[in-house]
Amino acid sequence: MISSSSFAPFVEQRALGSSHVHGLQSEILFEDAFDVVVIGSGASGAVAAETFVRAGLRTLLLEEGARLKAGAENAAVDAAAVPALAGNDAQGWSERGWPWSTRNLGGGTVFYGAASFRYTDFDFDPSERIRVDGLSVKWPINAADLAPFYQEMESRLSIDYSGFTCAGPAPKSLSLPAEHLWEGARRLGLSPRPTPLAVDRGLCDCCSLCISAQCTRGAKRDVVNAMLGPLADAPNLLLLTGVKAVALTQETRNGVQAVQCMDAATGKVRSIRGQRFVLACNAVQTAALLLRSVTPFAPHGLGNEHDLVGRGLCMKLSEYSQGLVKADRQQIEAHPIGYRGPFSTVCVLDHYLDERCPTGVGGLIYEAKHDDWPPLQVDGLVLRVETILADHPSLGNRVRLSSRTDGWGLPQIMLDYTTDPRDLARLSYMVERSADWLKAAGARDIQHEASNFTMGSTHLHGTCRAGEDPQTSVVDRDGKLHSLDNVHVVDGSYMPYPGGLNPTLTIQANALRIARRIVDEARGQASVSRVPHRSAAGILFPKRALS
């Protein structure tokens, strides 16, 4: 059994609300099937769960990790999480693979930099320039389908997208490094834009560096602050943290009836029944869950009739570049923002589609501050940027299950990934463009830092690919497994092409779209009168009629 002692220092013992329980407590009653079971409480799972709860559905939200104390840091949480194997048969395997965003309530949104881009038309259908054997890269939906859901999520998360869509003067929200980068972009003839952020500027006081750290003011709109916290006393929600979904179980060919759960600390196992199941674990964990769900009807795992679950794993390529601009400590400290505040405040997309780049597809470059102060205590002002670009999907890049087991006795997850040579050439080109930008901003001593994306990433996509043809995709346009009537996928697994931008907002908008479709379906199936149900503590409450 995996020891929970390493998690203890940063686990918040207080419940988020009356609907929150940590672990599989003996007093919890599971007499009736939940209307919907959501697995994963991160970017997509929280959006879906909130949609179901507000629609009156009796909802179970399962999260393997814990609620974190306010002072818990990303590095400590990651150090206590279970790694995966990463690599390939040709180059060997590392024990330091990364199959998580982060393992905690709220997932990666608790620590993310809050960059919240809309995908472009090209990202939904890159087939003119991106072609791969055996896989379609065209999404079954387009930007117009997501537009109202983008707009709704932007409103909910305080994302100001207006400044991103039109050129204008440098905004006052720029950090001191970003002011130099903005001017450097202008000198190159580029079109700098403020990075769209899920940050409430009215609450943000730029108190510190905020990447890889929780926001204690609630300015960074992580899903715990924005969605789960306000629902934590809802009578039709049960939020279970510290509970791992081991497998989905079937009693009939066309549907799933229950999820087998394990208390992550004690190893206690329990089966919980549901009418509908929504997978929001991330593109690695969702694929692994389906592959572990071996049943008499699905001997190779649920949804895996054509050996596609886990395939097409994309993690995006990225690399950091930085340089120094002449500045003294007094200048830096006198600036109203300086190094502090959001992770990124300026970006350029002039090379997103670039005929000079191999394949004609480049990527994003944006300010990417360090997540700790020591690297910034140098003689001069540090300018640091990151380039991000979509990798070519490949059938050979996949999530697999090892014959070896982890501390829970489950098959160890394998990230079988080989970088496409075309993508390495594209990355090299974009790193050169990053250096050009830094030099134009006045930086010297340009250095580059690999991101080790092949070991895993917080940008995970494509392992339960969406499409119209069941023989070439795992889910349909609404995230439903082709072979099952009541299992949906709402995380980055859905994406047939990963896109060259930070994916969180797109994942959330799509999760909202799919969740609304599930609610509509549930309303169509709901009976006029509903029998009473019990809360997590065993107290009777009426199951709300759907209206």
Side-chain angles (χ1 to χ4, degrees), residues 33-61:
F34 286 87
D35 290 327
V36 60
V37 176
V38 181
I39 303 173
S41 70
S44 60
V47 169
E50 187 204 40
T51 303
F52 300 140
V53 172
R54 294 197 181 282
L57 294 173
R58 184 168 175 262
T59 304
L60 171 64
L61 177 57

Side-chain angles (χ1 to χ4, degrees), residues 488-511:
H488 289 75
V489 170
V490 297
D491 56 27
S493 311
Y494 177 101
M495 296 179 166
Y497 180 70
L501 299 163
N502 302 63
T504 304
L505 179 63
T506 298
I507 290 172
Q508 290 179 306
N510 195 40

Side-chain angles (χ1 to χ4, degrees), residues 98-119:
W98 192 242
W100 310 97
S101 299
T102 56
R103 184 173 173 260
N104 50 263
L105 182 66
T109 69
V110 172
F111 295 116
Y112 77 150
S116 301
F117 294 90
R118 292 190 184 195
Y119 274 19

Side-chain angles (χ1 to χ4, degrees), residues 89 100 118 149 256 309 313 363 371 416 468-469 518 525 535:
D89 290 336
W100 310 97
R118 292 190 184 195
F149 303 101
V256 162
V309 171
L313 172 64
D371 55 5
D416 190 340
E468 298 176 356
D469 185 352
I518 294 171
Q525 296 174 353
S535 70

Side-chain angles (χ1 to χ4, degrees), residues 211-229:
I211 182 72
S212 298
Q214 298 181 76
C215 179
T216 58
R217 297 178 61 86
K220 186 163 64 175
R221 304 301 288 157
D222 65 73
V223 296
V224 179
N225 281 324
M227 297 175 185
L228 299 180

